[in-house]
Amino acid sequence: MKLKFIALTGALLLTVASAQDTQTFDLRILETTDLHTSALGYDYYQDKPTGEFGLEYTATLINQARAEKRNTLLFDNGDLIQGNPLGDYVARVNPLKAGQQHPMHAAMKVLGYNAATLGNHEFNYGLPYLDQVLKQAPMPVVTANVYRDNGKGEPGENAYTPYTIQRHTIYDTSGRPAIINVGVIGFTPPQIVNWDKAWLQGKIVTGDAVQAAQKFVPEMKAKGADIIVALAHGGINAEYTPGMENFAAALTTVPGIDVILSGHSHLEFPGSTYKSIPGANLEKGTINGKPVMMAGFWGNNLGVTDLKLSFNRQAQRWTITDAQSTLRPIWDKTNKKSLVSPDPRIAEAVKAAHEGTLAYVRAKVADLSTPINSYWALVQDDPSVQLVSAAQTAYVKKALADTKYKDLPVLSAAAPFKAGGRSGASYYTDIPAGTLAIKNVADLYVYPNTVQAVLVKGSDIKEWLERSAGQFKQIDPSSKTPQALVDDSFPTYNFDVIDGVTYEIDVTQPSKYDSKGQVANAGASRIKNLMYQGTPIDPNQEFVVATNNYRASGGGSFPGLTGQNIILQAPDETRQALISYFQEQKTVNPSADNNWKLTPIPGATLLVVSSPNAQKYLPTGVTFMKTRDDGFAEYELKW
């Protein structure tokens, strides 16, 4: 009997020791992504404050989230230094001095970010500027799939630090400390070498994100990383293909990666957009069982992932036992009000840059005779797009005047950048008559692209427009039910309008190209009555098309545009071409020449979404229906 008592006591002691060897922890991971220099809730294009976006508002959510959980890490997922006039101001107008910190980094220093990665727009201003910015970054910046060009167009050494392993003291649910090694690795879209070819060719090359992860994650584990967070500046696509742009979901299949912070697409995960993604659990915010976040854009959401961790002290092993990802918005879309107050420390950190930006954007360029808006740019030919085309055409004709291309006809391709969509109901150009200022030019053309020109044939023009016509859904002409016209998944910056020719778009036909730019319906033709100077376009006639570096180098996957037929790579940004064009005119008279239109569908009713403000400029055949809870308004188009 005594021996049994001793044995039982020993078993109890072993059980107690085993319980003491295991600790339970809560670890919160916070994400911002695609801030695009939106330190403040300030619309530089409309020159007024807003509560719909801005890191100063997200900062308050960060403060609250930290107050709720003792163990918290904060990361940024890229596209930080470009995106609005503040980014242009510190990159071009009043360049950063040696040793000066970028205002976005000054704001992030206040908040104590743990690490960040590079987005594709980090490369828009060139490598010297990016290197200058990164030298003063207040946190490690990691990117694993960008390499130095070895001189043969092949990957050499990593251009940036691929990963970091950070040692953190965290506290369990009883208040006891432990050390955890958190590995952080970053990835950017491989397509940057095409999108910013003028800056990057011969200097860097890129690789597949998943393959880079498969290389480095085992190395990180071998060096002691207990958990690994992937900062994935790529969207969420269902299927993995090597070299893909939107690779975040694919990273969930890489052993050793525990948390994926995504971005780039300016969408939200967890969210209904991704309900059909294989392995997605929107209630838990996971894909293939791993927590994933995508926190919108411009600081409109804070991404929050809460991990439950178990630590076996004897085995020195960390285990994630549960995870939950959620998004916290800063703006109530239904009631159109801020959900939090701004953190005043952010405004103080960027005060000088903000004030300088305001002085810059308010400078006069010309007089404007009538208003300009982009509310109906997806329904009819639009002056906001026409002005860009006119400026590009004038620039290219002048640049080619003394070249062998001088006698070729010059066309121009431009797209409506601000046409609502995923950026919200306020994301439209709306410039009143009067003074045309720098802020209005930036409103017309929001990207720091440069002017380029390509040499194409008439047959290429047709295919270019067929790809562009993927903006629209296919309409059943026999249906009496209202049908949505615009495919919201198609980014409006890929809806190129080509000026200098006339044409119709027949949306009763299927799109020839799919969302990736691949031929989906080989026999389909939406482009009708394509004419040059009043006669059907000659498929073999040569044309010069003025465009931008993104499109000319293959951005958007347009047929015939791979960077091989570029005949002009101008040093000037398109916005500078616009400014020069407007200054020469002195008074700008915006108008559209109606060179394209939708082929009428008698008897059909099409649903179109735009801003409620678009009611002031209703096209013929369009009727206002209602304003939705998300801020957009619905309209009906009939012939």
Side-chain angles (χ1 to χ4, degrees), residues 609-622:
V609 174
S610 187
S611 165
N613 296 331
Q615 295 176 69
K616 297 181 292 184
Y617 309 101
L618 287 178
T620 301
V622 175

PDB file of all heavy atoms in Angstrom, residues 609-622:
ATOM      1  N   VAL A 609     -22.951  52.095 -62.107  1.00  0.00           N
ATOM      2  CA  VAL A 609     -22.683  52.626 -60.772  1.00  0.00           C
ATOM      3  C   VAL A 609     -21.720  53.799 -60.890  1.00  0.00           C
ATOM      4  O   VAL A 609     -20.712  53.723 -61.601  1.00  0.00           O
ATOM      5  CB  VAL A 609     -22.077  51.526 -59.860  1.00  0.00           C
ATOM      6  CG1 VAL A 609     -21.662  52.115 -58.520  1.00  0.00           C
ATOM      7  CG2 VAL A 609     -23.074  50.404 -59.659  1.00  0.00           C
ATOM      8  N   SER A 610     -22.029  54.877 -60.212  1.00  0.00           N
ATOM      9  CA  SER A 610     -21.142  56.041 -60.179  1.00  0.00           C
ATOM     10  C   SER A 610     -21.367  56.774 -58.855  1.00  0.00           C
ATOM     11  O   SER A 610     -22.021  56.262 -57.940  1.00  0.00           O
ATOM     12  CB  SER A 610     -21.405  56.962 -61.377  1.00  0.00           C
ATOM     13  OG  SER A 610     -20.447  58.000 -61.449  1.00  0.00           O
ATOM     14  N   SER A 611     -20.836  57.969 -58.761  1.00  0.00           N
ATOM     15  CA  SER A 611     -21.029  58.784 -57.563  1.00  0.00           C
ATOM     16  C   SER A 611     -22.416  59.429 -57.559  1.00  0.00           C
ATOM     17  O   SER A 611     -22.965  59.720 -58.629  1.00  0.00           O
ATOM     18  CB  SER A 611     -19.963  59.874 -57.515  1.00  0.00           C
ATOM     19  OG  SER A 611     -20.296  60.887 -56.586  1.00  0.00           O
ATOM     20  N   PRO A 612     -22.985  59.686 -56.397  1.00  0.00           N
ATOM     21  CA  PRO A 612     -24.232  60.476 -56.360  1.00  0.00           C
ATOM     22  C   PRO A 612     -24.064  61.837 -57.023  1.00  0.00           C
ATOM     23  O   PRO A 612     -25.019  62.393 -57.575  1.00  0.00           O
ATOM     24  CB  PRO A 612     -24.518  60.606 -54.860  1.00  0.00           C
ATOM     25  CG  PRO A 612     -23.841  59.426 -54.242  1.00  0.00           C
ATOM     26  CD  PRO A 612     -22.596  59.213 -55.057  1.00  0.00           C
ATOM     27  N   ASN A 613     -22.829  62.382 -56.977  1.00  0.00           N
ATOM     28  CA  ASN A 613     -22.574  63.692 -57.589  1.00  0.00           C
ATOM     29  C   ASN A 613     -22.695  63.664 -59.107  1.00  0.00           C
ATOM     30  O   ASN A 613     -22.776  64.712 -59.751  1.00  0.00           O
ATOM     31  CB  ASN A 613     -21.183  64.186 -57.204  1.00  0.00           C
ATOM     32  CG  ASN A 613     -21.049  64.430 -55.715  1.00  0.00           C
ATOM     33  OD1 ASN A 613     -22.027  64.752 -55.047  1.00  0.00           O
ATOM     34  ND2 ASN A 613     -19.843  64.259 -55.182  1.00  0.00           N
ATOM     35  N   ALA A 614     -22.675  62.455 -59.684  1.00  0.00           N
ATOM     36  CA  ALA A 614     -22.767  62.334 -61.135  1.00  0.00           C
ATOM     37  C   ALA A 614     -24.116  62.780 -61.674  1.00  0.00           C
ATOM     38  O   ALA A 614     -24.275  62.974 -62.883  1.00  0.00           O
ATOM     39  CB  ALA A 614     -22.491  60.885 -61.542  1.00  0.00           C
ATOM     40  N   GLN A 615     -25.094  62.946 -60.785  1.00  0.00           N
ATOM     41  CA  GLN A 615     -26.429  63.404 -61.229  1.00  0.00           C
ATOM     42  C   GLN A 615     -26.369  64.773 -61.888  1.00  0.00           C
ATOM     43  O   GLN A 615     -27.233  65.129 -62.695  1.00  0.00           O
ATOM     44  CB  GLN A 615     -27.381  63.460 -60.036  1.00  0.00           C
ATOM     45  CG  GLN A 615     -27.671  62.107 -59.415  1.00  0.00           C
ATOM     46  CD  GLN A 615     -28.543  62.240 -58.176  1.00  0.00           C
ATOM     47  OE1 GLN A 615     -29.723  62.583 -58.263  1.00  0.00           O
ATOM     48  NE2 GLN A 615     -27.961  61.979 -57.009  1.00  0.00           N
ATOM     49  N   LYS A 616     -25.346  65.542 -61.558  1.00  0.00           N
ATOM     50  CA  LYS A 616     -25.214  66.883 -62.143  1.00  0.00           C
ATOM     51  C   LYS A 616     -24.846  66.832 -63.626  1.00  0.00           C
ATOM     52  O   LYS A 616     -24.991  67.826 -64.335  1.00  0.00           O
ATOM     53  CB  LYS A 616     -24.138  67.670 -61.388  1.00  0.00           C
ATOM     54  CG  LYS A 616     -24.433  67.925 -59.922  1.00  0.00           C
ATOM     55  CD  LYS A 616     -23.324  68.724 -59.266  1.00  0.00           C
ATOM     56  CE  LYS A 616     -22.028  67.934 -59.152  1.00  0.00           C
ATOM     57  NZ  LYS A 616     -20.970  68.693 -58.422  1.00  0.00           N
ATOM     58  N   TYR A 617     -24.373  65.669 -64.087  1.00  0.00           N
ATOM     59  CA  TYR A 617     -23.855  65.585 -65.452  1.00  0.00           C
ATOM     60  C   TYR A 617     -24.421  64.368 -66.185  1.00  0.00           C
ATOM     61  O   TYR A 617     -23.716  63.671 -66.902  1.00  0.00           O
ATOM     62  CB  TYR A 617     -22.331  65.491 -65.430  1.00  0.00           C
ATOM     63  CG  TYR A 617     -21.659  66.556 -64.600  1.00  0.00           C
ATOM     64  CD1 TYR A 617     -21.196  66.281 -63.319  1.00  0.00           C
ATOM     65  CD2 TYR A 617     -21.486  67.847 -65.102  1.00  0.00           C
ATOM     66  CE1 TYR A 617     -20.563  67.264 -62.553  1.00  0.00           C
ATOM     67  CE2 TYR A 617     -20.869  68.835 -64.346  1.00  0.00           C
ATOM     68  CZ  TYR A 617     -20.414  68.536 -63.069  1.00  0.00           C
ATOM     69  OH  TYR A 617     -19.801  69.505 -62.311  1.00  0.00           O
ATOM     70  N   LEU A 618     -25.706  64.094 -66.019  1.00  0.00           N
ATOM     71  CA  LEU A 618     -26.307  62.884 -66.584  1.00  0.00           C
ATOM     72  C   LEU A 618     -26.210  62.866 -68.110  1.00  0.00           C
ATOM     73  O   LEU A 618     -26.659  63.802 -68.784  1.00  0.00           O
ATOM     74  CB  LEU A 618     -27.774  62.777 -66.184  1.00  0.00           C
ATOM     75  CG  LEU A 618     -28.081  62.395 -64.732  1.00  0.00           C
ATOM     76  CD1 LEU A 618     -29.586  62.392 -64.516  1.00  0.00           C
ATOM     77  CD2 LEU A 618     -27.487  61.038 -64.392  1.00  0.00           C
ATOM     78  N   PRO A 619     -25.653  61.789 -68.682  1.00  0.00           N
ATOM     79  CA  PRO A 619     -25.648  61.648 -70.139  1.00  0.00           C
ATOM     80  C   PRO A 619     -27.054  61.344 -70.656  1.00  0.00           C
ATOM     81  O   PRO A 619     -27.947  60.944 -69.893  1.00  0.00           O
ATOM     82  CB  PRO A 619     -24.710  60.456 -70.379  1.00  0.00           C
ATOM     83  CG  PRO A 619     -23.975  60.236 -69.095  1.00  0.00           C
ATOM     84  CD  PRO A 619     -24.899  60.714 -68.025  1.00  0.00           C
ATOM     85  N   THR A 620     -27.230  61.453 -71.944  1.00  0.00           N
ATOM     86  CA  THR A 620     -28.501  61.125 -72.566  1.00  0.00           C
ATOM     87  C   THR A 620     -28.833  59.653 -72.332  1.00  0.00           C
ATOM     88  O   THR A 620     -27.990  58.774 -72.524  1.00  0.00           O
ATOM     89  CB  THR A 620     -28.446  61.400 -74.079  1.00  0.00           C
ATOM     90  OG1 THR A 620     -28.143  62.770 -74.287  1.00  0.00           O
ATOM     91  CG2 THR A 620     -29.777  61.065 -74.737  1.00  0.00           C
ATOM     92  N   GLY A 621     -30.034  59.382 -71.879  1.00  0.00           N
ATOM     93  CA  GLY A 621     -30.475  58.010 -71.680  1.00  0.00           C
ATOM     94  C   GLY A 621     -30.182  57.444 -70.304  1.00  0.00           C
ATOM     95  O   GLY A 621     -30.548  56.302 -70.012  1.00  0.00           O
ATOM     96  N   VAL A 622     -29.561  58.227 -69.434  1.00  0.00           N
ATOM     97  CA  VAL A 622     -29.207  57.749 -68.096  1.00  0.00           C
ATOM     98  C   VAL A 622     -30.147  58.354 -67.057  1.00  0.00           C
ATOM     99  O   VAL A 622     -30.403  59.562 -67.065  1.00  0.00           O
ATOM    100  CB  VAL A 622     -27.743  58.081 -67.754  1.00  0.00           C
ATOM    101  CG1 VAL A 622     -27.426  57.684 -66.312  1.00  0.00           C
ATOM    102  CG2 VAL A 622     -26.800  57.356 -68.712  1.00  0.00           C
TER     103      VAL A 622
END
